[in-house]
């Protein structure tokens, strides 16, 4: 764990340096409450992670993880909500457009008897929003309060952290799995979504549940586990159908790759064709929805207008492509062109950028050494990232949130590999030196462009 500790200390010092430089440049915004909360979030986030590294093996258990995540989330969701009230006079965390829609109709549902819910929802929304309204309506029927919904979101996140810990323990030592799960579950963007009125927290719980039971099936070969895996993945059709298909691609990619699979070749080919048709259909619908029926040039120009200072056209595609594969790029201090939620996302996104090198090295070595157990995680990141690049949505963390946990797990898996294999360790040490400089320059440049 020595390298992990060194890695986090480096992030802490580089992050503080970035804050000092941007604070000096953006001195007019330097002493705003938003900036102070952003700095507080970064410092406490890194302190929690550093404190958790290097402990005895018995320290790394589900009970301690759940208590840490629940406490951290509760404190910082409350701080974020207070910040929202100070700036906007409400508790929607600067995402009023979607949140108010969910709020209005969820409270409407909660006031209706259950037998009228389907008629009400189906008249207003397509099936890929039904899950959100059913979940929110059920919670609000118990206690009709946004704060109770946010409390439930924190509970979902806490359960999710334990599930991710369970996944991690099946591919690396529990100490690495613990830090990976803790880092993802307390990242500032997970805190942010737990304070909104959006479907992401419960959606991510279903997503991680499917992934957990898939990995438990690989360990125990129990058909009940694979049945639960499929059941949880099917439930995603009422939230984001494309993510369900991406999960299936990652699962079947594992069975195609491993020689231990007893699935006949013709069945493999048939399933690949079916999934390919389904994925192609979903991706085409998403592509047309976000690109004005395939007009990618217009989308790139539109994104460039949103991010002033960044050229449009093919250059914008390059920016989004790089940002999707290693980012998204973090906004550290509020800009004149962005919303206040940028710095709240920024702390977690800054940390994620530092994980890009171990993730991509891990992906390379996993395929090179045929580490099949990591394949589903890597495939999941790849199959979700490509559509995000095509529709120019890769710089928005909300769109790519499902695969981020797989990104973290793969990166920490490689940290472990580097600690026990000299060759991998030397390569990682060499590249991380440049990675620290690269991230530092990119983050400073991105924030200067957006001032």
């Amino acid at each position: 764990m020595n390298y992990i500790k060194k890695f986090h200390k480096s992030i802490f010092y580089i992050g503080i340096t970035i804050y000092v430089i941007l604070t000096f440049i953006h001195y007019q915004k330097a002493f705003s409450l938003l900036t102070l909360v952003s700095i507080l979030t970064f410092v406490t986030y890194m302190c929690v992670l550093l404190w958790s590294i290097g402990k005895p093996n018995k320290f790394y258990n589900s009970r301690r993880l759940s208590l840490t995540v629940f406490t951290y989330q509760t404190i910082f969701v409350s701080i974020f909500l207070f910040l929202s009230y100070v700036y906007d006079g409400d508790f929607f965390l600067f995402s009023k457009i979607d949140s108010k829609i969910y709020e209005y109709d969820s409270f409407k549902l909660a006031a209706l008897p259950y037998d009228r819910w389907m008629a009400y929802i189906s008249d207003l929304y397509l099936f890929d929003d039904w899950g959100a309204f059913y979940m929110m309506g059920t919670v609000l029927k118990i206690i009709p309060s946004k704060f109770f919904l946010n409390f439930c979101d924190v509970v979902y996140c806490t359960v999710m952290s334990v599930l991710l810990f369970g996944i991690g323990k099946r591919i690396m030592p529990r100490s690495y799995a613990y830090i990976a799960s803790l880092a993802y579950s307390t990242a500032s963007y997970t805190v942010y979504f737990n304070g909104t009125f959006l479907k992401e927290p419960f959606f991510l719980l279903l997503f991680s549940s499917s992934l957990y039971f898939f990995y438990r099936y690989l360990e125990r070969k129990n058909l009940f586990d694979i049945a639960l895996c499929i059941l949880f993945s099917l439930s995603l059709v009422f939230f984001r159908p494309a993510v369900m298909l991406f999960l299936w691609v990652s699962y079947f990619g594992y069975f195609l790759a491993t020689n231990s699979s007893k699935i006949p070749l013709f069945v493999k080919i048939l399933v690949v064709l079916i999934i390919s048709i389904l994925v192609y259909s979903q991706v085409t619908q998403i592509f047309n929805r976000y690109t004005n029926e395939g007009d990618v040039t217009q989308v790139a120009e539109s994104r460039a207008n949103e991010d002033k200072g960044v050229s449009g056209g093919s250059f914008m595609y390059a920016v989004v492509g790089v940002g999707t594969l290693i980012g998204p790029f973090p906004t550290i201090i509020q800009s004149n062109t962005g919303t206040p939620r940028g710095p709240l996302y920024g702390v977690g996104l800054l940390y994620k950028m530092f994980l890009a090198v171990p993730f991509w090295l891990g992906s390379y070595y996993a395929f090179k050494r045929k580490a099949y157990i990591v394949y589903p995680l890597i495939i999941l990141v790849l199959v979700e990232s490509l559509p995000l690049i095509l529709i120019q949505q890769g710089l928005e963390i909300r769109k790519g949130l499902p695969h981020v946990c797989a990104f973290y797990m793969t990166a920490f898996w490689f940290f472990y590999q580097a600690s026990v294999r000299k060759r991998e360790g030397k390569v990682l040490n060499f590249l991380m030196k440049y990675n620290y400089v690269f991230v530092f320059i990119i983050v400073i440049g991105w924030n200067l462009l957006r001032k």
Side-chain angles (χ1 to χ4, degrees):
M1 294 290 283
N2 288 336
Y3 188 82
I4 295 289
K5 193 141 197 164
K6 180 182 176 182
F7 170 74
H8 286 85
K9 284 183 177 179
S10 298
I11 295 178
F12 181 77
Y13 295 135
I14 294 171
I16 291 296
T17 304
I18 290 173
Y19 271 106
V20 170
I21 292 174
L22 292 177
T23 296
F24 177 77
I25 295 173
H26 293 277
Y27 63 91
Q28 292 179 331
K29 301 179 184 294
F31 300 102
S32 68
L33 184 59
L34 181 64
T35 301
L36 293 177
V37 169
S38 179
I39 294 173
L40 176 66
T41 305
F42 174 77
V43 172
T44 53
Y45 180 54
M46 297 310 303
C47 286
V48 168
L49 293 177
L50 284 167
W51 174 75
S52 303
I53 297 170
K55 295 291 194 293
N57 204 47
K58 64 180 182 180
F59 175 91
Y60 302 107
N61 57 68
S62 298
R63 180 180 297 179
R64 178 170 281 106
L65 176 64
S66 59
L67 180 60
T68 304
V69 170
F70 180 81
T71 303
Y72 186 92
Q73 284 279 344
T74 300
I75 292 172
F76 276 89
V77 166
S78 301
I79 292 173
F80 283 14
L81 290 174
F82 171 75
L83 187 70
S84 176
Y85 183 77
V86 171
Y87 273 76
D88 270 9
D90 59 46
F91 298 102
F92 292 108
L93 288 182
F94 319 108
S95 61
K96 284 192 280 288
I97 296 177
D98 288 345
S99 291
K100 286 202 169 186
I101 293 173
Y102 282 120
E103 181 200 37
Y104 178 80
D105 284 313
S106 296
F107 274 105
K108 280 274 191 180
L109 276 183
L112 294 173
Y114 282 115
D115 58 359
R116 293 179 56 190
W117 282 25
M118 179 54 67
Y120 182 84
I121 297 176
S122 58
D123 282 346
L124 297 175
Y125 300 99
L126 296 176
F127 66 92
D128 57 354
D129 259 331
W130 293 356
F133 286 110
Y134 260 87
M135 177 273 297
M136 293 176 179
T138 301
V139 170
L140 295 175
K141 206 168 185 65
I142 300 171
I143 298 178
S145 167
K146 177 185 181 296
F147 297 121
F148 180 64
L149 179 69
N150 294 149
F151 171 80
C152 291
D153 289 341
V154 169
V155 173
Y156 303 151
C157 183
T158 303
V159 176
M160 179 186 68
S161 71
V162 176
L163 295 175
L164 294 178
F165 182 43
I167 295 170
K169 287 188 295 184
R170 288 167 169 81
I171 64 175
M172 55 188 153
R174 61 192 302 117
S175 56
Y176 287 82
Y178 184 99
I179 301 300
S181 176
L182 180 63
Y184 176 74
S185 303
T186 56
S188 62
Y189 41 80
T190 61
V191 174
Y192 172 85
F193 284 110
N194 289 336
T196 61
F197 210 115
L198 300 172
K199 64 184 177 183
E200 272 67 25
F202 190 72
F203 163 66
L204 291 175
L205 175 61
L206 296 176
F207 175 89
S208 58
S209 296
S210 178
L211 201 58
Y212 169 78
F213 283 108
F214 178 77
Y215 269 91
R216 200 167 81 162
Y217 167 77
L218 296 184
E219 179 186 50
R220 306 189 334 176
K221 305 301 180 185
N222 189 320
L223 291 179
F224 182 68
D225 290 328
I226 200 65
L228 288 175
C229 166
I230 295 172
L231 180 64
F232 278 112
S233 68
L234 285 172
S235 68
L236 298 177
V237 77
F238 299 109
F239 291 83
R240 286 189 200 169
V243 173
M244 176 194 71
L245 297 175
F246 296 152
L247 269 177
W248 289 0
V249 170
S250 69
Y251 295 158
F252 203 74
Y254 169 85
F255 291 118
L256 280 178
T258 179
N259 294 326
S260 64
S261 173
K262 296 181 181 179
I263 301 175
L265 179 60
F266 80 92
V267 175
K268 290 181 177 181
I269 295 173
L270 179 62
V271 174
V272 167
L273 288 174
I274 293 173
I275 294 178
S276 298
I277 292 170
L278 292 172
V279 170
Y280 177 79
S281 174
Q282 279 294 318
V283 170
T284 300
Q285 290 180 25
I286 296 170
F287 183 73
N288 289 334
R289 183 190 309 171
Y290 285 97
T291 61
N292 192 25
E293 301 301 320
D295 190 351
V296 296
T297 304
Q298 182 179 350
V299 174
E301 293 293 346
S302 176
R303 292 289 299 177
N305 290 332
E306 293 175 14
D307 299 300
K308 294 180 181 178
V310 180
S311 301
S314 58
F315 180 74
M316 189 62 194
Y317 260 97
V319 171
V320 173
V322 173
T324 304
L325 297 177
I326 70 172
F329 303 128
T331 300
I332 300 301
I333 294 180
Q334 184 184 0
S335 66
N336 294 325
T337 59
T339 66
R341 67 173 174 260
L344 302 183
Y345 283 170
V347 173
L349 297 182
L350 176 63
Y351 180 87
K352 181 179 179 291
M353 281 195 72
F354 285 105
L355 291 179
V357 165
F359 169 78
W360 290 107
L361 278 177
S363 301
Y364 170 75
Y365 279 101
F367 285 112
K368 181 180 179 181
R369 298 186 180 278
K370 296 183 178 180
Y372 298 126
I373 196 67
V374 196
Y375 280 19
L377 301 175
I378 299 170
I379 294 171
L380 185 58
V381 174
L382 296 177
V383 297
E384 189 173 41
S385 295
L386 181 58
L388 290 175
I389 295 172
L390 292 176
I391 65 176
Q392 292 283 283
Q393 296 293 315
L395 298 183
E396 174 54 55
I397 184 64
R398 183 182 175 188
K399 299 296 191 302
L401 202 56
H403 76 256
V404 176
C405 65
F407 191 96
Y408 277 59
M409 287 294 166
T410 305
F412 276 85
W413 171 82
F414 187 70
F415 278 138
Y416 169 65
Q417 296 299 312
S419 71
V420 296
R421 296 176 182 269
K422 286 186 177 180
R423 185 176 180 183
E424 279 86 336
K426 288 181 180 179
V427 173
L428 182 61
N429 275 312
F430 175 76
L431 290 180
M432 285 305 290
K433 294 176 182 177
Y434 295 96
N435 185 46
Y436 293 136
V437 177
F438 173 76
V439 172
F440 176 82
I441 294 173
I442 289 292
V443 173
I444 293 291
W446 177 255
N447 282 267
L448 290 179
L449 282 173
R450 296 173 63 82
K451 72 177 182 178

